[in-house]
Amino acid sequence: MSNKKIVSTTITNLIPLIKESFANKQEVSIRVKGTSMSPFFVDNETIVTLAPFDGELIKLKVYLYSVNDVYLLHRYIKSEEEKHFFRGDALYNFEEVEKQNILGVVT
């Protein structure tokens, strides 16, 4: 029998728990909310496992990061000098993200 517990809440409420898990070198699984990563991530169905961000960005991998206190799971596209650009698969616009705001990576 699994000792995993399933709870439903917002990502904002989960961030302190995710950060604590990452500080302890633990992975975290969360259910995806939203359609910005369609068709690869399905709203309220897809469950992803996140590992702590180790500082290395790999093109086309999906990362958890914050922009203006909003947490997103989007794909890394490119870097230009110290600027890092991410985008949801179903979106056209890029988000410019500072490396210090990247928390985790989808494994």
Side-chain angles (χ1 to χ4, degrees):
M1 178 169 231
S2 174
N3 63 352
K4 290 184 181 182
K5 186 184 228 181
I6 298 175
V7 295
S8 180
T9 188
T10 65
I11 189 69
T12 303
N13 291 335
L14 287 176
I15 289 300
L17 296 171
I18 291 171
K19 287 180 177 180
E20 180 182 338
S21 295
F22 287 172
N24 292 317
K25 307 285 190 241
Q26 297 172 323
E27 293 184 341
V28 176
S29 294
I30 60 172
R31 186 179 308 272
V32 173
K33 297 286 285 175
T35 59
S36 65
M37 286 297 292
S38 293
F40 296 103
F41 293 169
V42 178
D43 180 41
N44 217 21
E45 288 183 21
T46 304
I47 296 174
V48 297
T49 300
L50 298 163
F53 177 56
D54 65 5
E56 180 185 6
L57 288 168
I58 300 171
K59 189 174 183 178
L60 303 180
K61 296 249 336 161
V62 176
Y63 293 84
L64 171 67
Y65 60 89
S66 67
V67 174
N68 300 322
D69 296 322
V70 175
Y71 292 91
L72 301 165
L73 273 176
H74 284 167
R75 198 172 303 282
Y76 169 65
I77 304 299
K78 65 181 178 177
S79 292
E80 293 177 3
E81 297 177 16
E82 294 299 312
K83 298 177 183 177
H84 310 289
F85 296 91
F86 293 77
R87 182 173 65 196
D89 290 349
L91 303 176
Y92 294 102
N93 295 326
F94 291 97
E95 291 102 22
E96 185 178 320
V97 180
E98 295 178 17
K99 217 171 202 181
Q100 66 200 28
N101 292 330
I102 303 169
L103 302 177
V105 58
V106 174
T107 60

